[in-house]
Amino acid sequence: MKKIWMSAIAALLAGGVLYAGESEFKLAKPSDWKASTPVKWIGKDKDVMEVTGPTTLLSVKKFDIDVKKHFKLEADVKQISGGPIPVCVGFKLFDKNDKEITSFMVNAHHNSETTVVKDVKAGDKVIILKANPYWKKSIFAVALNAKKDLSDLPNYDLLTPAKVTVKGQEMEVQLKKPVDKAIPAGTVVRAHGGGGYMYTGGYKVLNNGQEAEFKGVAKGVNKSGMTSGRWAPGAVKAQIILLVNWKWGSKDKAVAHVKDVELEIK
């Protein structure tokens, strides 16, 4: 039995399948995926997903992140109809408490820290801040209790602005909904930008009949921001995400085929 076991190991290594510390995951069956719309499995081996209409595909498995390793993500997508239409391939991120980390929690506008000028009461929809020229960019969120060294990222204590108006040495921020707690004068805040997921595999617009390979590698960690090639601060787990037929309001339901989704970690 020992001889047979050693022979099996030798054959595996000779084939170059995997080395110590490497992992390879092929997501090619229904139990590997959660989908926002019904998916039809087609092809000779029933390993191709036929996706109709705007659909989010999420891997059932969440992968532990080791920022020192390479995470190589690949997927093949062919647009059957409804093109030209966007497709995105990447990761959805989670923190140590399994809470999702979104782009606007980490996409800090650098040097945009400023302070609340007047006390804000629970129920208020306007906050007054000390003016800061770095707030001229598009602002998706106002991060409370911000730290200059960015150690607060990911920041979950966010407000969503509707409009920012500069009035001399101050900025008036109108919010989309009332605050649910008091915010004292002197509180440090920061402007954050928006964005989507971590698109390591890439973003492409596919025409009908066009087949494309999505491929990318993630390694290391950002001090701030969600980018395709480095993990966002605070991320400890990742879930593969594909946004297929990602065009809303189309009269015709687009159809795409997805296959050969693989993740290699080494």
Side-chain angles (χ1 to χ4, degrees):
M1 179 64 73
K2 184 177 180 181
K3 184 182 290 187
I4 295 173
W5 175 244
M6 293 302 293
S7 297
I9 293 176
L12 183 65
L13 293 175
V17 178
L18 288 176
Y19 295 94
E22 292 187 17
S23 301
E24 186 176 276
F25 302 92
K26 296 184 178 182
L27 296 86
K29 55 185 184 297
S31 59
D32 292 328
W33 293 99
K34 295 185 290 186
S36 61
T37 63
V39 169
K40 184 186 297 184
W41 288 82
I42 64 172
K44 177 183 176 182
D45 298 318
K46 300 295 182 183
D47 58 354
V48 178
M49 288 182 278
E50 184 172 87
V51 183
T52 302
T55 302
T56 302
L57 298 173
L58 284 169
S59 65
V60 170
K61 181 176 175 59
K62 292 178 182 175
F63 302 88
D64 293 326
I65 295 171
D66 182 341
V67 298
K68 295 180 181 179
K69 291 188 175 183
H70 291 81
F71 284 68
K72 182 180 178 182
L73 179 62
E74 298 182 12
D76 291 337
V77 181
K78 182 175 183 179
Q79 198 64 43
I80 306 303
S81 65
I85 205 161
V87 177
C88 309
V89 177
F91 295 107
K92 185 177 183 179
L93 306 182
F94 300 85
D95 68 8
K96 62 183 179 181
N97 298 314
D98 206 35
K99 185 173 182 178
E100 182 184 353
I101 298 174
T102 60
S103 58
F104 50 86
M105 295 172 181
V106 296
N107 283 346
H109 289 341
H110 294 289
N111 299 315
S112 67
E113 290 81 13
T114 188
T115 55
V116 177
V117 174
K118 301 176 183 177
D119 289 342
V120 180
K121 304 185 300 295
D124 286 351
K125 285 191 69 175
V126 174
I127 59 174
I128 306 300
L129 307 177
K130 183 179 179 181
N132 182 316
Y134 288 93
W135 282 62
K136 291 181 180 179
K137 298 180 181 180
S138 176
I139 309 300
F140 190 90
V142 179
L144 302 180
N145 301 305
K147 303 288 181 61
K148 183 69 175 177
D149 64 1
L150 305 175
S151 60
D152 58 299
L153 300 179
N155 190 308
Y156 303 102
D157 201 1
L158 304 173
L159 304 174
T160 306
K163 184 179 181 182
V164 178
T165 305
V166 178
K167 297 184 175 182
Q169 299 301 308
E170 296 178 346
M171 297 184 296
E172 181 184 273
V173 181
Q174 299 177 24
L175 303 173
K176 289 189 175 181
K177 63 180 183 179
V179 299
D180 58 7
K181 63 181 178 182
I183 304 171
T187 299
V188 179
V189 303
R190 184 197 301 114
H192 280 205
Y197 296 98
M198 181 181 175
Y199 298 128
T200 301
Y203 163 91
K204 297 178 182 179
V205 176
L206 301 184
N207 290 304
N208 293 342
Q210 182 181 0
E211 185 170 6
E213 180 182 37
F214 291 77
K215 181 189 296 186
V217 176
K219 183 187 179 184
V221 60
N222 289 326
K223 191 170 184 180
S224 71
M226 186 171 291
T227 57
S228 63
R230 294 171 68 87
W231 303 105
V236 300
K237 285 185 179 293
Q239 191 175 25
I240 298 171
I241 185 169
L242 282 76
L243 307 179
V244 185
N245 301 323
W246 210 242
K247 182 179 179 182
W248 298 88
S250 173
K251 291 182 179 179
D252 300 320
K253 283 194 174 182
V255 177
H257 290 171
V258 179
K259 65 178 182 178
D260 296 335
V261 183
E262 299 180 6
L263 176 63
E264 182 183 88
I265 305 171
K266 63 179 182 179

